[in-house]
């Protein structure tokens, strides 16, 4: 489990290429942990960029993915996997520290497409929305020690993360990335069972959540 003693002092700027739900959740966690951090954001949907501007005190809207990455200490690649091919082409000359949260996009593919970038791959989950993420992560071959410290501090802001060999990230995706959905289905079954036994739906839900 990761920890950093100096994360508040070290994280000054973070880029977000993609401002969807997961990107926003990670940004929210980072902004809470690192007061005064500058967020550089770019997204194809203006309303998502506007959400960042409303919610966070220091947001710089980047003109391109490359501009966001060049301006930040660490940049999160938070676009959907089907949009990755175009993004990788746009970032081809990038030399920045990039953290991909795209499921199924391997470090080998990233390093081939981005020959100068320093790369990490993370499998987060939705509880990062409330600062209770459980994630797995792996580093590419070009990261340096300070890069690892930055990635660990960034992930610690959103919850807990465990470094694993990249080949084990599929297991992480099945366990903790998908786990909240499995638990939610189990909870739905608990609520339904309580209702069938005579409890009101409201009482069954309240008791299940507390349980």
């Amino acid at each position: 489990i990761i920890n950093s003693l100096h994360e508040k002092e070290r994280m000054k700027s973070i880029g977000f290429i993609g401002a969807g739900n997961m990107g926003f959740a990670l940004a929210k966690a980072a902004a809470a942990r690192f007061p005064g951090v500058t967020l550089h954001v770019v997204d194809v949907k203006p309303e998502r960029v506007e959400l960042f501007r409303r919610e966070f005190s220091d947001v710089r809207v980047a003109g391109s993915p490359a501009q966001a990455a060049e301006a930040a200490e660490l940049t999160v690649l938070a676009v959907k996997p089907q949009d990755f091919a175009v993004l990788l082409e746009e970032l081809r000359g990038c030399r920045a520290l990039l953290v991909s949260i795209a499921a199924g996009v391997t470090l080998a593919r990233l390093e081939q497409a981005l020959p100068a970038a320093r790369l990490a791959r993370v499998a987060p989950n939705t509880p990062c929305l409330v600062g209770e993420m459980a994630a797995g992560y792996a580093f590419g071959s070009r990261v340096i020690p300070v890069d690892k410290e930055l990635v660990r501090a960034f992930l610690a802001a959103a919850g807990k993360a465990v470094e694993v060999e990249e080949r084990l990230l599929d297991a992480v995706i099945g366990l903790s990335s998908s786990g909240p959905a499995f638990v939610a289905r189990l909870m739905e079954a608990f609520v339904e069972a309580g209702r069938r036994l005579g409890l009101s739906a409201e009482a069954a839900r309240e008791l299940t959540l507390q349980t």
Side-chain angles (χ1 to χ4, degrees), residues 75-78 84 98-103 105 110 119-124:
T75 297
V76 182
L77 306 184
F84 244 70
L98 305 176
V99 178
S100 170
I101 65 170
V105 181
L110 291 170
L119 296 157
R121 181 183 167 200
V122 179

Side-chain angles (χ1 to χ4, degrees), residues 2-204:
I2 63 176
N3 187 29
S4 173
L5 297 177
H6 306 294
E7 61 262 32
K8 287 187 178 180
E9 300 174 1
R10 295 195 61 85
M11 195 70 66
K12 305 300 182 184
S13 59
I14 305 170
F16 288 89
I17 300 175
N21 291 336
M22 192 63 73
F24 177 79
L26 291 168
K28 184 178 180 181
R33 178 65 67 91
F34 312 119
V37 67
T38 299
L39 303 180
H40 300 269
V41 61
V42 60
D43 194 283
V44 296
K45 295 182 178 179
E47 64 270 21
R48 298 303 303 183
V49 174
E50 185 58 32
L51 176 63
F52 269 64
R53 297 181 70 173
R54 288 200 311 268
E55 293 293 326
F56 306 118
S57 60
D58 190 358
V59 174
R60 313 289 173 86
V61 181
S64 68
Q67 187 181 83
E70 289 165 4
E73 292 177 279
L74 173 156
T75 297
V76 182
L77 306 184
V79 304
K80 297 183 184 302
Q82 61 266 28
D83 298 327
F84 244 70
V86 172
L87 175 62
L88 293 178
E89 188 61 34
E90 292 179 351
L91 292 175
R92 185 158 188 82
C94 179
R95 305 180 67 87
L97 173 59
L98 305 176
V99 178
S100 170
I101 65 170
V105 181
T106 66
L107 284 169
R109 179 183 172 193
L110 291 170
E111 290 195 328
Q112 182 179 27
L114 306 172
R118 294 114 59 209
L119 296 157
R121 181 183 167 200
V122 179
N125 67 0
T126 53
C128 69
L129 285 162
V130 291
E132 295 291 348
M133 178 184 74
Y137 65 100
F139 291 114
S141 62
R142 293 190 291 267
V143 295
I144 59 177
V146 68
D147 295 334
K148 293 184 177 183
E149 184 179 347
L150 285 169
V151 171
R152 289 167 177 155
F154 170 69
L155 295 177
K160 295 182 179 180
V162 176
E163 183 177 356
V164 299
E165 296 177 37
E166 190 193 10
R167 65 182 180 84
L168 297 174
L169 282 180
D170 285 345
V172 172
I173 291 169
L175 176 66
S176 58
S177 297
S178 301
F182 299 149
V183 173
R185 289 302 300 268
L186 177 62
M187 293 169 70
E188 288 177 350
F190 272 45
V191 172
E192 179 60 18
R195 190 189 64 77
R196 291 183 180 183
L197 290 170
L199 293 169
S200 68
E202 181 180 357

